[in-house]
Amino acid sequence: MSKVLVIGAGGVGSVAVHKMAMNPEIFPDITLASRRKFKCDAIAESVKERTGVTINTAEVDADHIDATAALIRSIGATHVVNLALPYQDLTIMEACLSTGAHYLDTANYEPRDEAKFEYHWQWAYQDRFKDAGLMALLGSGFDPGVTSVFTTWLKKHHFARIDTLDILDCNGGDHGQHFATNFNPEINIREVTAVARHWENGDWVETPPMSVKQKFDFEAVGEKTMYLMYHEEIESLKTHLPEIQRIRFWMTFGEAYIQHLTVLQNVGMTRIDPVVYEGREIVPLQFLKAVLPEPSSLGETTKGKTNIGVIATGLGKDGKEKTLYLYNICDHEDAFAETGNQAVSYTTGVPAMIGTAMMVTGTWSGDGVFNMEQMDPDPFMDMLNKHGLPWQVKELDGPLDF
């Protein structure tokens, strides 16, 4: 019998354990752990009220390998789902190796002192996981995660060759706040303020943060301005699907968000290096996170929809050039009604549950470290339709004109 330990009691962790509890035949034993156990207890109470299922809770500081390993051993966890901060990926992977537990996360490792989003730290664990007979599945969120599965599904069923890929992430929701982020503020702002990079003709192309933008008309949301950014699935997709000549990632932001972020940057509040204040070192971005609204608190007020997908252009299996757009639309209010969380958390937490289900049931298996695009997309795509993230695909008249 599988025993799943979920680490992280934010919005994504909340969605994941709610959805796991709704599938007791796959997840008969669930433990939710965090540095602050009271947050786990509150989520467990919500799970009980909504599903009738009791989940266990525990306290753990995932910065420490020994403490994390001790918890894994004490509950006999067979699978560890890391929905904590990406700074903790490596310590949790180490704890899994020392206890013989399989591993899954939704975001790649990054060091605390540098906004550097790269997979090489985790890919370096390949031989250790393989030799231990364990599986580590990286990036089982929406982006990264579902967007990679979308890409491999298109390749499997529609394309002989994909030449260009654009990943489009639109959040059309309104939470009513002057300024707030829909997932962890520290991680969100580090991503947004990092140098933009995309893959083109075998090399990285860099541009200043938020300097390239385009308008796009998103179904169920409307026309939005989206900005070229770097995102980690570009690195894994260009590695595992080297035929793709250009991969870009776009994310929408409203004017108010951009204005607030610009001011915060100008006054130094997005810095990730420590400054001395009244004899103590503080990191401005971490202080900013403490005063901004908690993302998990935004669900009750957020209205609107998200639209996230991929646009692929290439040679179809019929021998003709084609462009296909594969995407999901998720409603913030529907997500809140089901799990008590807004759609940004929902669109990450559901794929985390599905990825774990793939491993627990043996549908996806292997020894070593894997990215989502290395797996058969079909069973994952089926579960998306069944568990709240239905997708649709349509053919466009031609490739994007930008």
Side-chain angles (χ1 to χ4, degrees), residues 18-269:
H18 275 88
K19 299 295 282 192
M20 288 177 181
M22 294 173 190
N23 293 274
E25 71 284 359
I26 301 175
F27 302 103
D29 191 312
I30 307 163
T31 299
L32 177 64
S34 171
R35 184 175 293 155
R36 293 173 288 181
K37 186 175 180 292
F38 73 89
K39 294 187 69 175
C40 301
D41 293 336
I43 293 171
E45 184 177 345
S46 173
V47 170
K48 181 70 173 178
E49 290 175 356
R50 293 172 186 272
T51 69
V53 172
T54 298
I55 68 169
N56 306 307
T57 62
E59 180 177 318
V60 69
D61 184 348
D63 283 334
H64 299 287
I65 298 171
D66 291 344
T68 306
L71 176 60
I72 296 171
R73 289 192 188 95
S74 70
I75 66 176
T78 57
H79 295 76
V80 177
V81 181
N82 171 16
L83 305 180
L85 294 173
Y87 316 134
Q88 297 164 323
D89 288 2
L90 302 189
T91 58
I92 298 175
M93 291 179 79
E94 289 284 355
C96 287
L97 283 168
S98 70
T99 57
H102 301 287
Y103 171 89
L104 176 144
D105 66 30
T106 61
N108 70 355
Y109 172 76
E110 59 179 280
R112 289 183 185 272
D113 58 355
E114 186 179 7
K116 201 170 186 65
F117 315 101
E118 295 180 357
Y119 273 115
H120 70 83
W121 287 287
Q122 291 179 275
W123 285 344
Y125 280 76
Q126 166 65 21
D127 289 343
R128 294 178 63 194
F129 269 82
K130 184 176 181 179
D131 292 345
L134 296 173
M135 181 178 186
L137 184 62
L138 309 183
S140 188
F142 207 108
D143 44 340
V146 174
T147 51
S148 294
V149 176
F150 278 180
T151 303
T152 50
W153 184 87
L154 287 173
K155 176 67 188 299
K156 179 177 180 178
H157 294 284
H158 294 279
F159 285 98
R161 184 192 70 240
I162 296 176
D163 296 323
T164 65
L165 182 74
D166 284 274
I167 302 164
L168 281 59
D169 184 326
C170 170
N171 176 19
D174 182 0
H175 46 55
Q177 302 286 332
H178 291 296
F179 182 78
T181 61
N182 288 291
F183 60 96
N184 184 287
E186 188 176 352
I187 304 304
N188 175 266
I189 293 172
R190 283 167 67 111
E191 283 186 0
V192 173
T193 57
V195 171
R197 290 194 298 162
H198 73 273
W199 184 255
E200 189 163 0
N201 296 324
D203 207 354
W204 291 109
V205 179
E206 295 190 351
T207 50
M210 312 297 280
S211 63
V212 179
K213 61 183 180 180
Q214 296 287 343
K215 290 188 180 297
F216 189 84
D217 190 5
F218 291 90
E219 182 179 337
V221 175
E223 187 176 79
K224 293 288 183 180
T225 301
M226 58 184 189
Y227 293 80
L228 188 68
M229 293 175 54
Y230 175 72
H231 226 239
E232 61 231 58
E233 64 263 45
I234 300 176
E235 181 186 18
S236 65
L237 283 167
K238 68 92 173 171
T239 300
H240 298 121
L241 293 171
E243 70 189 57
I244 306 179
Q245 295 301 301
R246 189 189 70 203
I247 309 174
R248 301 182 297 189
F249 181 92
W250 306 86
M251 183 175 283
T252 64
F253 297 96
E255 287 302 316
Y257 180 96
I258 298 298
Q259 291 169 1
H260 279 83
L261 184 61
T262 300
V263 172
L264 291 168
Q265 281 185 283
N266 289 342
V267 299
M269 284 303 299

